[in-house]
Amino acid sequence: WATSAHTHEDFLQCLSLHSPNSNSISKVIYTPYNSSYQSILESEIRLERLLPPAPIPKSPLVIITPLVESHIQAAIYCSKKHGMQIRVRSGGHDYEGLSYLSYQGPFVMVDLVNFQSINIDVENSTAWVQAGATIGQLYYTIAKKSPTLGFSAGVCPTVGVGGHFSGGGYGMMSRNYGIAVDNIIDARLIDVNGRILDRKSMGEDLFWAIRGGGGASFGVIIAWHIKLVQVPKIVTVFTVNRTLEQNATKIVHKWQYIAEKIDEKLLLRIFPGKANSSQDGKETVQASFVTLYLGGVDTLLPLMQQSFPELGLVRSDCIEMSWIDSILYFAGVSGEPLEILLNRSSLVTYSGSYFKGKSDYVTEPISEAGLESIWRMVLKYPEDIDMQFSPYGGRLSEISESATPFPHRAGTLFSIHYGVSWTEAGKSALNRNMRAIRRFYSFMTPYVTKNPRSAYLNYRDLDLGVNNKGNFTSYEQASIWGLKYYGINFKRLAHVKTKVDPGNFFRNEQSIPTL
Ligand code: FDA
């Protein structure tokens, strides 16, 4: 970044001056001249696509790993004073790396890796969880305190609660308990003026905005107060695979009619993708039905028989286990000690490879002919486009579209996640894979929501549009992606933004604009 050494020095001096304990802040400031700067920057980067020698994004001028809240207050004050933007990182899983990279202007990164404490109140079924904790740490800590409490949030244990909760938080219990934001009862946040606020002092508008509108546009979230949910002592999981030769098209077609309506204790997710046929070894499409049922197999089997006999589920497909073991199962690490959930880096599914993701929503079932043409598209090109069909309905559709900024409620049948990952470094592999996922996304246009073509904020996609130079943009321009992520809630988000951060200090490539 073109900032003078002078500005840099002034900024560092400002931090020391404005931190009550200047000694301690100096220990948590890293500039590119520090030998540990690069390892700290890369420690929570989940997207090698964005690591050097990636062409465009730039790294932070300064990294701060605050130990106390006053360090964050100093970072906000000094960044504002010296014209720097700020990026906050909790778990580092942002799909476009916006928590640690920027395409626009010099910035400081606040890494909340030291804010990981979790306090469970079993009696009241609540917990305070600091933003830098991961959902794996949260699930583990809850399970250690009680076998019948849990929380409804995402599947990958290394996701950070700071970003994940502020963007929604869909997981295997969402049909029964909603997403993470539906179970947040309070929060602590530092605003643009360095004030530490809770729900009461921030007011209901701001508290509404950070539950699905993305935290990064509004302040630095330090901790969430969450309502834990009841989980049965025994849950049932299964993964059943069906290829085209095993009638996958008809089964997936039927799934669209039942998955959103079926008992909300049951969440049947589909992962369609390329596979080799077990019959002749030829390339085919396989739909993997990955399921959590909040109960035992004896009640699951009649339910499936009644609503979805086409899948042909049998008792031997099903495994009964505790809820916390189901977390390991869906993370692909069944049988490992529970402590693996405390590991912040070992469980990332695409670690070591390059990745790009996108998302869609479906409100009208796709016809069998439509599904067949999607499968043809899956098989047509060499790049593997992975899809996830995640059912909605149940509790998700009981909550109104405007109760939180996350608008994907009644009427949504399922969401689609697209991902492409590759291991080959270099521009040509990057271009080839980016082209492949964009082509696939374009092909899907007739099958998904229109006007707007909705998308899930937590699967951030800069292809949908970005702010102008310096990350300032009009409401109209930002509506191009804002309406996709937030639907009818976008306007209110812009109003809240204008009220709480009129100077647009908390901004990034896709932040909410002021009006
Ligand atoms: P990160 O630290 O990168 O932050 C993401 C965004 O939030 C950035 O804009 C950042 O600045 C901002 N932010 C972070 N902490 C903040 C804070 N304390 N205050 C203010 N702003 C803050 N989603 C889902 O719903 N269900 C799932 O099952 C999964 N699974 C999944 C698996 C894998 C491997 C990945 C990479 C991602 C997912 N996701 C997901 C998506 C995930 O929910 C999304 O990427 C979250 O934003 C990640 O939050 P982190 O804190 O980890 O990211």
Side-chain angles (χ1 to χ4, degrees), residues 2 4 10 57 67 108 150 178 287 290 305 335 363 394 453 461 467 486 509:
S4 64
D10 285 352
L67 296 167
V108 173
V290 178
Q305 186 51 39
T363 49
R453 181 169 181 175
D461 180 4
N467 283 318
Y486 313 109
E509 284 65 13

Side-chain angles (χ1 to χ4, degrees), residues 171-202:
M172 296 304 289
M173 296 201 291
S174 288
R175 295 195 66 252
N176 200 45
Y177 289 118
I179 52 173
V181 295
D182 299 329
N183 296 291
I184 293 175
I185 48 180
D186 203 342
R188 273 169 77 76
L189 167 140
I190 306 188
D191 77 354
V192 65
N193 298 313
R195 292 176 308 175
I196 299 176
L197 305 172
D198 63 5
R199 178 174 185 167
K200 191 153 177 246
S201 51
M202 78 177 80

Side-chain angles (χ1 to χ4, degrees), residues 93 115 141 179 184 196 201 234 335 358 385 496:
H93 284 58
F115 280 69
T141 313
I179 52 173
I184 293 175
I196 299 176
S201 51
I234 295 293
K358 296 172 94 64
I385 305 292
V496 178

Side-chain angles (χ1 to χ4, degrees), residues 87-95 98-99 112 131 154-156 158-164 166 169-170 215-216 219-221 269 348-350 456 458-460 508:
R87 292 284 184 277
V88 186
R89 182 164 80 179
S90 288
H93 284 58
D94 191 275
Y95 270 25
L98 294 192
S99 51
L112 295 177
V155 174
C156 174
T158 52
V159 164
V161 306
H164 182 61
S166 71
Y170 177 99
V220 179
I221 294 151
R269 216 170 185 187
V348 179
T349 44
Y350 55 73
Y456 177 28
N458 267 348
Y459 298 150
R460 190 195 301 286
N508 61 43

Side-chain angles (χ1 to χ4, degrees), residues 470-486:
N471 287 328
F472 289 96
T473 302
S474 68
Y475 174 80
E476 284 67 32
Q477 186 180 331
S479 301
I480 296 169
W481 65 90
L483 294 174
K484 291 178 161 66
Y485 287 140
Y486 313 109

Side-chain angles (χ1 to χ4, degrees), residues 242-267:
R242 296 288 182 257
T243 60
L244 294 185
E245 296 69 30
Q246 295 165 318
N247 234 358
T249 306
K250 281 204 173 347
I251 303 173
V252 174
H253 184 250
K254 170 75 186 284
W255 171 88
Q256 300 177 94
Y257 291 87
I258 60 102
E260 177 256 349
K261 291 189 187 64
I262 207 165
D263 189 321
E264 47 202 40
K265 291 191 180 65
L266 185 55
L267 192 143

